[in-house]
Amino acid sequence: MVSFVNALLYGVGGIVMAGMALLVAFQEKLVYVPVLPGLTKSYSITPSRLRLIYEDVWLRSSDGVRLHAWFIKLFPDCRGPTILFFQENAGNIAHRLEMVRIMLQRLHCNVFMLSYRGYGESDGYPSQHGITRDAQAALEHLSQRTDIDTTRIVVFGRSLGGAVGAVLTKNNPDKVAALILENTFTSILDMAGVLLPFLKWFIGGSGSKGPRILNFLVRSPWSTIDVVGEIKQPILFLSGLQDEMVPPSHMQMLYAKAAARNKHCKFVEFPTGMHMDTWLAGGDQYWRSIQEFLAEHVRKKKESETSGNDNDHHEV
């Protein structure tokens, strides 16, 4: 019996040590994937390939890291909403251009696409602290522009980008009009158990049943579940039910947490949507859901209102 207990303890200890080694060595490679296998870090295409009107924007994050972005307009004088788009963890902004092209057409908006540090042409190395700074730099840039309606800045984040966007939205209630989350996880702590199932007893978020003794090793926890309940702006949740990366239950939990305190939340499911193609699989329903959300919560003020008239009516 003693030998069995010793063997069990050694086995558990081995799992813990293996888990610690994996986390220390590879966690950034799991969370941040700036380069897709077989491709280079550089952009495969630019917006001009899709005949989009754009400008290259160079920013400095608050810690001095040089960042690159594309600011894409539907047409030169477009005063529609401006979407601040935060991408998934894998690849760079060039891989999202086809989706953004349709976004411009369907939503009649501008789109600002930021390359996180270490992605695309941006300098540095990705980390939660650093990318949070990068997102703030992008928002500060947009807030200071004179060629857009700065009262209609909408943050749109997919997967990792949703975690980034949630933090930015919470921290800037006066600069972000609304938030859109698509296929976003509750936290990296919870995703560790999804990607490496044998770790789920040692790593987890606030709802985990395990001892969570390895949580301290996670350098980028991105705990969206703790952030989303503090957001006061309207939130649209877009969930692909065939998501093979982030369990759809994560989006349901995020919605439940947010809606408990925020009455301006809406949840939309897409039965055939996977992690990367919900925008495509969702078809017209996908874009119509966003259009309706923007029309309700990100409305354009009438000229009489902006000139000082106390009129509460709005137009889309």
Side-chain angles (χ1 to χ4, degrees):
M1 180 66 180
V2 174
S3 61
F4 172 77
V5 172
N6 287 338
L8 181 62
L9 291 174
Y10 278 122
V12 172
I15 292 175
V16 172
M17 292 301 293
M20 292 178 66
L22 284 170
L23 280 174
V24 171
F26 298 114
Q27 63 177 276
E28 269 79 17
K29 294 185 183 297
L30 292 174
V31 179
Y32 309 112
V33 188
V35 182
L36 292 171
L39 300 179
T40 63
K41 185 174 180 285
S42 61
Y43 303 127
S44 54
I45 61 172
T46 65
S48 60
R49 177 76 67 86
L50 301 181
R51 299 182 179 180
L52 298 175
I53 301 171
Y54 82 105
E55 66 177 270
D56 283 303
V57 177
W58 295 96
L59 307 170
R60 287 281 179 185
S61 192
S62 60
D63 58 352
V65 176
R66 186 170 182 257
L67 307 171
H68 177 252
W70 285 328
F71 183 54
I72 307 174
K73 286 191 169 187
L74 177 63
F75 49 84
D77 298 322
C78 179
R79 288 278 172 168
T82 294
I83 306 294
L84 176 50
F85 181 78
F86 296 123
Q87 66 162 67
E88 307 90 325
N89 70 334
N92 59 50
I93 54 177
H95 302 119
R96 279 80 201 181
L97 278 175
E98 182 58 33
M99 182 262 193
V100 165
R101 182 182 67 83
I102 298 175
M103 180 185 288
L104 290 164
Q105 296 171 349
R106 296 297 299 262
L107 304 183
H108 297 164
C109 63
N110 309 304
V111 180
F112 191 91
M113 304 179 74
L114 174 69
S115 278
Y116 309 133
R117 60 183 61 200
Y119 284 69
E121 295 184 7
S122 294
D123 295 339
Y125 300 93
S127 68
Q128 178 171 338
H129 186 64
I131 291 176
T132 299
R133 289 173 177 262
D134 299 345
Q136 188 66 44
L139 179 60
E140 295 298 335
H141 170 82
L142 286 177
S143 299
Q144 294 168 14
R145 293 188 72 112
T146 58
D147 58 342
I148 66 170
D149 184 346
T150 57
T151 68
R152 305 177 78 195
I153 297 174
V154 178
V155 170
F156 190 133
R158 181 183 294 146
S159 191
L160 171 64
V164 177
V167 173
L168 184 70
T169 301
K170 178 185 80 71
N171 291 342
N172 296 272
D174 57 334
K175 294 180 180 178
V176 177
L179 171 66
I180 301 173
L181 296 179
E182 181 180 326
N183 297 338
T184 298
F185 45 76
T186 53
S187 72
I188 289 296
L189 297 172
D190 292 329
M191 283 301 296
V194 174
L195 298 173
L196 302 169
F198 69 91
L199 288 179
K200 66 182 178 181
W201 291 104
F202 307 103
I203 299 175
S206 56
S208 173
K209 297 179 180 179
R212 297 177 286 175
I213 60 175
L214 298 183
N215 279 10
F216 75 97
L217 291 174
V218 179
R219 293 185 287 267
S220 293
W222 288 115
S223 189
T224 314
I225 191 72
D226 294 325
V227 173
V228 75
E230 300 181 38
I231 294 173
K232 296 179 174 60
Q233 299 97 310
I235 310 175
L236 174 62
F237 296 81
L238 304 172
S239 178
L241 298 186
Q242 302 303 315
D243 193 328
E244 73 286 7
M245 292 291 294
V246 177
S249 60
H250 282 222
M251 283 290 286
Q252 295 165 2
M253 287 187 282
L254 290 175
Y255 171 71
K257 183 69 175 288
R261 299 183 181 181
N262 185 343
K263 64 180 181 179
H264 301 297
C265 293
K266 183 177 181 180
F267 189 89
V268 184
E269 296 178 336
F270 302 94
T272 62
M274 299 179 71
H275 191 64
M276 300 287 284
D277 77 345
T278 296
W279 67 274
L280 195 58
D284 188 63
Q285 182 197 0
Y286 178 91
W287 296 110
R288 191 170 61 250
S289 297
I290 301 176
Q291 288 169 343
E292 293 172 355
F293 175 76
L294 296 178
E296 181 177 0
H297 298 293
V298 190
R299 296 170 291 185
K300 183 178 179 181
K301 293 182 179 180
K302 286 185 176 181
E303 291 183 7
S304 59
E305 200 174 347
T306 58
S307 63
N309 192 319
D310 293 329
N311 188 336
D312 286 331
H313 295 289
H314 296 76
E315 66 181 13
V316 175

